[in-house]
Amino acid sequence: MSIFGRMCLLGNRVLAKRNLEICAKYISNNTINEALWNKFCITTNESTTCDPYFMANNITEIQGIPGVASGVLLDNLWSAYSQKGSIIERNQTSSVAGEGQKTYSQHYVLTDIMTYFTMLVGIYFPSVTGIMAGSNRSGDLKDAQKSIPFGTILAIATTSFIYLSCVVLFGACIEGALLRDKFGEAVSGQLVIGTLAWPSPWVIVIGSFFSTCGAGLQSLTGAPRLLQAIARDGIVPFLQVFGHGKANGEPTWALLLTAGICEIGILIASLDSVAPILSMFFLMCYMFVNLACALQTLLRTPNWRPRFKYYHWTLSFVGMSLCLALMFICSWYYALVAMLIAGCIYKYIEYRGAEKEWGDGIRGLSLNAARYALLRVEHGATHTKNWRPQILVLVNLDSEQNVKHPRLLSLTTQLKAGKGLTIVGSVLQGTFLDKHVEAQKGEENIKALMTTEKTKGFCQLVVSPSVRDGISHLIQSAGLGAMKHNTVLMAWPHSWKQPTDPYSWKTFVDTVRDATSAQQALLVAKNIDSFPTSQERFADGNIDIWWIVHDGGMLMLLPFLLRQHKVWRKCRMRIFTVAQMDDNSIQMKKDLQMFLYHLRLDAEVEVVEMFENDISAFTYEKTLMMEQRSQMLKQMQLSKNEREREIQSISDESRGSIRRKIYSIPRPGAQDSYSLLPSENPLNEAQIIHDRNTASHSTVAAKSSAAPEKIQMTWTKEKLIAEKHKVKDLNAAGYRDIFNMKP
């Protein structure tokens, strides 16, 4: 001990023992120590200039390893962090104040890095990262369930005791200045632990060598097997090449990759730089292991049955919190980078897809959150402000179980824009025992089409003895709890009158009745195959709404939702409303414009004047009831006389002689105007009122001379019976066919 471990101090500063055998300014007989004076003094032209701090302070030599009995433990209890390049000082030694010249700083022992608590934690933590070694080699263990908990806890207890006892003993035996001397320059580069070792310092050298090799081999055996297992499971697609190995199962390619990564760490040649990076990924690994265990316990997953009886989810939660805190304590920027890398890997796996689904805690958490949200939504009624069309799309399948009208899903995507609930339903006629294979194929085809059309929703295929009953079952039972549809979307039937099946129209009519009975909105798209795809873009055009029925704003909402999609974004919205000749059309237009202004809808308004007899009686009797009509007229702020005239017109029996004409709807896409309730040529039937006064107008003459040829009609059962008696008076065969149709 007297030969090794002695330190030389100038004042309270630690000197580096480079070519310095004698720690003194003067040798016996007042002879100067030239080796020391030459370090701090410069002689030029017979004049000598020395460092002021060197001249003002004495040289002392102390024992660097005084032992436990010296009481140095109390001095080392407190922190002494320093900046990079600062001189290591012994605070217990007195010195004359003085900065000294920077020219001579290379003769002192300097700190090579800036030290602080979090950085030291990052350097120390990799020494305790071997606790997952047993889990990484679980496939090679005879009884992994028994060996891993016992071995892991024993390893943690053993290593923690050794590491913590070493820290305490070093602080109790070694001077703090020597502890901060990273390369041992104060003791001529000797190993401090080697000085303490018995019987020779080579015990520490040989032990450190084998310990390092053992830790490296442990990583080189565990990490490649883990990488090979990940690659074989197809979790990360681009790592599949590392799943190959020798016939005996040795992971050759994974071993080469691991060795390459280790070599990169060696070439960095700075343990202090590599240690924080390693700490981040180890801490993140442990954090996610703790998080997975806590989630599985909290969600009460049936397959989560830990055999360790002293386990509790709070232990995992505390461990996860400590790992997360240590990540930011060690280095907050490294922690953010590590979390970003982990997030990118997770999203890549989610996007490219793991071929095997092993189940995860996130999915269980999502299911639990969905259940909680459904129960919360179930208790309260949907407010008007939160209402939006939750659509049930009824599609037909051909003989190959492919969707007949894919544009229905395109229209749904454009209408929903990924928001709200979408259920794509279809009916397969037959029994489930006979049609289960076709049902599975049809469901797969529908899901594939939904992916192609980017329709976000669910698929539900029903096998029923009759299509009519299957559609009724879908309308009644599709959805779950409060997540049910409120709107039904279907295509207009193409061949609704077939000679072989005179009742082919009945399914469509019954669907309308079922939707009405369920108090759901019904959207029927005619000529759906002519509607635009989601890839098309309209540079210009109009969306026309014929607002004849006061439906609560449904017709206003649909074009607004369509214009949110890129296909319809540049189209304009036009609203047509119908007025009688006696109505104040200008005032009606202004009131409707104000109504749209309060709804924050941007649309053009046109009022179409029609004769009283041209307006379908069914519209008055079934959709504009007297109370609703009166309420709407009040909202539109019409005068009292105008309201009385409108209400009187509702109950007027003289409308029984209304003339009926042919009604047709143009194909969407034929022009740049898409109408929800269009007529073939409205300009030939009615006069569009812009900004002129309609108070003065012709009455009888105009009614008799301007009879329109084609008007939009809605049929009732009573009108159909009355028309059947008039069929014989009609000469045109086309008229006879129209009146023979079922309602």
Side-chain angles (χ1 to χ4, degrees), residues 397 438-448 459-461:
L397 302 179
E438 290 85 345
Q440 184 178 3
K441 181 181 178 182
E443 189 169 348
E444 293 176 354
N445 292 339
I446 293 176
K447 289 181 178 180
C459 172
Q460 189 167 354
L461 193 144

Side-chain angles (χ1 to χ4, degrees), residues 10 41 48 126 135 143 235 281 402 481 484 486 503 553 576 682 737:
L10 175 60
C41 297
T48 303
S135 300
D143 188 359
I235 297 176
F281 291 99
N402 294 319
K484 292 182 66 67
N486 53 29
Y503 294 99
F576 294 87
D737 293 337

Side-chain angles (χ1 to χ4, degrees), residues 203-219:
V203 173
I204 298 300
V205 176
I206 297 173
S208 299
F209 176 78
F210 283 110
S211 175
T212 305
C213 291
L217 291 175
Q218 172 187 309
S219 298

Side-chain angles (χ1 to χ4, degrees), residues 397-460:
L397 302 179
D398 57 17
S399 58
E400 299 296 330
Q401 312 308 324
N402 294 319
V403 179
K404 286 185 179 180
H405 305 293
R407 298 292 177 89
L408 264 178
L409 296 185
S410 301
L411 178 62
T412 305
T413 303
Q414 298 161 20
L415 192 63
K416 300 292 292 182
K419 303 297 188 298
L421 175 67
T422 301
I423 303 175
V424 182
S426 183
V427 178
L428 193 61
Q429 188 171 4
T431 60
F432 186 73
L433 293 177
D434 299 332
K435 297 287 187 178
H436 66 279
V437 177
E438 290 85 345
Q440 184 178 3
K441 181 181 178 182
E443 189 169 348
E444 293 176 354
N445 292 339
I446 293 176
K447 289 181 178 180
L449 182 60
M450 292 175 65
T451 303
T452 303
E453 296 292 342
K454 298 181 180 180
T455 304
K456 298 180 181 179
F458 307 97
C459 172
Q460 189 167 354

Side-chain angles (χ1 to χ4, degrees), residues 267-301:
L267 293 177
I268 293 177
S270 176
L271 184 63
D272 297 334
S273 301
V274 176
I277 302 176
L278 295 178
S279 299
M280 289 301 112
F281 291 99
F282 276 112
L283 283 169
M284 184 169 292
C285 174
Y286 302 153
M287 181 184 72
F288 283 120
V289 169
N290 283 293
L291 176 62
C293 294
L295 282 179
Q296 298 283 1
T297 306
L298 290 174
L299 297 176
R300 301 183 184 275
T301 307

Side-chain angles (χ1 to χ4, degrees), residues 12 16 43 61 136 179 227 251 280 284 364 421:
N12 64 349
T43 302
E61 189 176 20
N136 294 340
L179 287 175
L227 178 61
M280 289 301 112
M284 184 169 292
L421 175 67

Side-chain angles (χ1 to χ4, degrees), residues 129-372:
T129 55
I131 60 176
M132 297 291 289
S135 300
N136 294 340
R137 296 181 60 89
S138 59
D140 299 331
L141 298 176
K142 182 179 180 180
D143 188 359
Q145 299 184 29
K146 181 179 179 181
S147 301
I148 290 178
F150 179 77
T152 302
I153 294 176
L154 188 62
I156 292 175
T158 304
T159 54
S160 298
F161 173 77
I162 293 174
Y163 292 150
L164 292 177
S165 61
C166 287
V167 170
V168 174
L169 289 175
F170 287 163
C173 298
I174 304 174
E175 280 286 345
L178 183 57
L179 287 175
R180 294 190 293 275
D181 182 8
K182 181 177 178 180
F183 300 104
E185 294 180 291
V187 289
S188 302
Q190 301 174 18
L191 289 175
V192 176
I193 304 178
T195 304
L196 294 173
W198 181 88
S200 170
W202 283 100
V203 173
I204 298 300
V205 176
I206 297 173
S208 299
F209 176 78
F210 283 110
S211 175
T212 305
C213 291
L217 291 175
Q218 172 187 309
S219 298
L220 286 177
T221 54
R225 293 177 183 274
L226 183 61
L227 178 61
Q228 185 186 42
I230 294 174
R232 285 181 175 178
D233 290 340
I235 297 176
V236 184
F238 69 85
L239 293 179
Q240 291 182 355
V241 65
F242 299 104
H244 305 290
K246 292 184 178 180
N248 58 358
E250 287 297 325
T252 307
W253 291 101
L255 181 62
L256 292 176
L257 177 63
T258 306
I261 295 175
C262 294
E263 187 63 28
I264 293 174
I266 295 173
L267 293 177
I268 293 177
S270 176
L271 184 63
D272 297 334
S273 301
V274 176
I277 302 176
L278 295 178
S279 299
M280 289 301 112
F281 291 99
F282 276 112
L283 283 169
M284 184 169 292
C285 174
Y286 302 153
M287 181 184 72
F288 283 120
V289 169
N290 283 293
L291 176 62
C293 294
L295 282 179
Q296 298 283 1
T297 306
L298 290 174
L299 297 176
R300 301 183 184 275
T301 307
N303 65 345
W304 172 249
R305 299 180 294 273
R307 192 175 293 275
F308 186 64
K309 61 181 179 180
Y310 299 107
Y311 170 76
H312 195 266
W313 68 268
T314 54
L315 296 176
S316 297
F317 187 79
V318 171
M320 180 197 69
S321 303
L322 290 176
C323 290
L324 183 62
L326 280 176
M327 286 178 63
F328 285 92
I329 286 175
C330 295
S331 177
W332 64 269
Y333 45 88
Y334 278 153
L336 292 178
V337 172
M339 295 177 71
L340 179 63
I341 294 174
C344 293
I345 294 175
Y346 177 79
K347 296 305 293 184
Y348 173 78
I349 295 174
E350 185 180 38
Y351 175 72
R352 295 302 298 268
E355 294 182 0
K356 296 183 180 179
E357 179 59 52
W358 300 106
D360 53 55
I362 301 299
R363 182 174 179 84
L365 184 64
S366 300
L367 291 174
N368 199 50
R371 171 185 168 273
Y372 174 77

